[in-house]
Amino acid sequence: MTERIGVYPGTFDPITYGHMNLVERAASLVDKLIIGVAVNQHKNSLFSLQDRLDMTEEAVDKFRKKSVIIVKPLIDTLLVNFAKENNAEVIFRGLRAVSDFEYEFKMCVMNRRLQESIETVFLMASEKHQFVSSVFVKEICKLGGDISTFVTPAVGEKLISRYKELGEIK
């Protein structure tokens, strides 16, 4: 019997409890889950790739008791190529709202055209995390709001520290 491998890609800038919920659920569906921390030229990341890799490693560590989870950089390659290089059969994508669906559907169709042997599985965000996004979390943090229900304490500290470094909060 072959090992079932899945990929869950994202920029994770920063990783949120919503992402973590999807990691836990996706990991339960495969033998090994590879989290691809992506560099996206269209997004100005607050954190460096290494910072995002480190935060993601730390945040998902608690799920490793039940599942094999590996965190890797996803740089300068198509997602389907990353999946193929890692022997993955499935790509997991999260959907929070109907507005996510159109973009994700288009990406799914293109990925299928590029590599038809790799399936895309959409996981709906849990109701608790339906509207959590890294963009909202960063904005709330920057404006002095409480982000403790959106990110781990370690990620929260890193966010606050980063904005202090940038002189955007005191």
Side-chain angles (χ1 to χ4, degrees), residues 5-165:
I5 301 171
V7 169
Y8 176 42
T11 52
F12 306 108
D13 187 42
I15 189 166
T16 68
Y17 285 134
H19 294 125
M20 292 167 61
N21 175 261
L22 288 176
V23 166
E24 182 177 29
R25 291 166 49 212
S28 74
L29 299 172
V30 291
D31 300 306
K32 181 191 296 181
L33 181 66
I34 299 168
I35 301 172
V37 179
V39 173
N40 186 334
Q41 294 87 356
H42 303 293
K43 293 183 178 180
N44 289 329
S45 295
L46 179 63
F47 293 101
S48 70
L49 175 61
Q50 189 59 55
D51 287 339
R52 292 182 288 124
L53 286 164
D54 293 344
M55 284 188 285
T56 302
E57 283 278 2
E58 184 178 355
V60 303
D61 196 48
K62 70 181 186 175
F63 304 128
R64 290 188 168 120
K65 293 175 184 130
K66 295 189 279 185
S67 304
V68 176
I69 299 173
I70 297 167
V71 178
K72 291 184 171 184
L74 198 170
I75 307 169
D76 295 331
T77 189
L78 292 169
L79 175 57
V80 290
N81 291 345
F82 179 81
K84 190 173 180 181
E85 289 163 12
N86 286 282
N87 300 312
E89 299 172 10
V90 62
I91 296 169
F92 291 100
R93 298 295 295 171
L95 295 175
R96 291 174 296 209
V98 175
S99 58
D100 288 345
F101 181 77
E102 184 178 3
Y103 171 79
E104 294 296 343
F105 179 74
K106 288 177 186 176
M107 187 187 317
C108 172
V109 170
M110 291 305 291
N111 286 340
R112 188 88 171 144
R113 292 276 307 269
L114 294 169
Q115 190 58 249
E116 67 182 34
S117 65
I118 298 174
E119 289 290 343
T120 299
V121 173
F122 295 112
L123 296 174
M124 295 301 300
S126 69
E127 62 281 348
K128 184 176 181 181
H129 305 293
Q130 197 79 39
F131 297 102
V132 176
S133 76
S134 296
V135 171
F136 288 161
V137 171
K138 289 185 283 193
E139 190 69 15
I140 292 165
C141 179
K142 196 164 128 176
L143 296 173
D146 179 10
I147 56 172
S148 64
T149 61
F150 306 120
V151 295
T152 65
V155 170
E157 288 174 20
K158 287 184 169 92
L159 264 169
I160 292 167
S161 177
R162 182 72 177 122
Y163 280 123
K164 284 182 178 178
E165 285 173 17

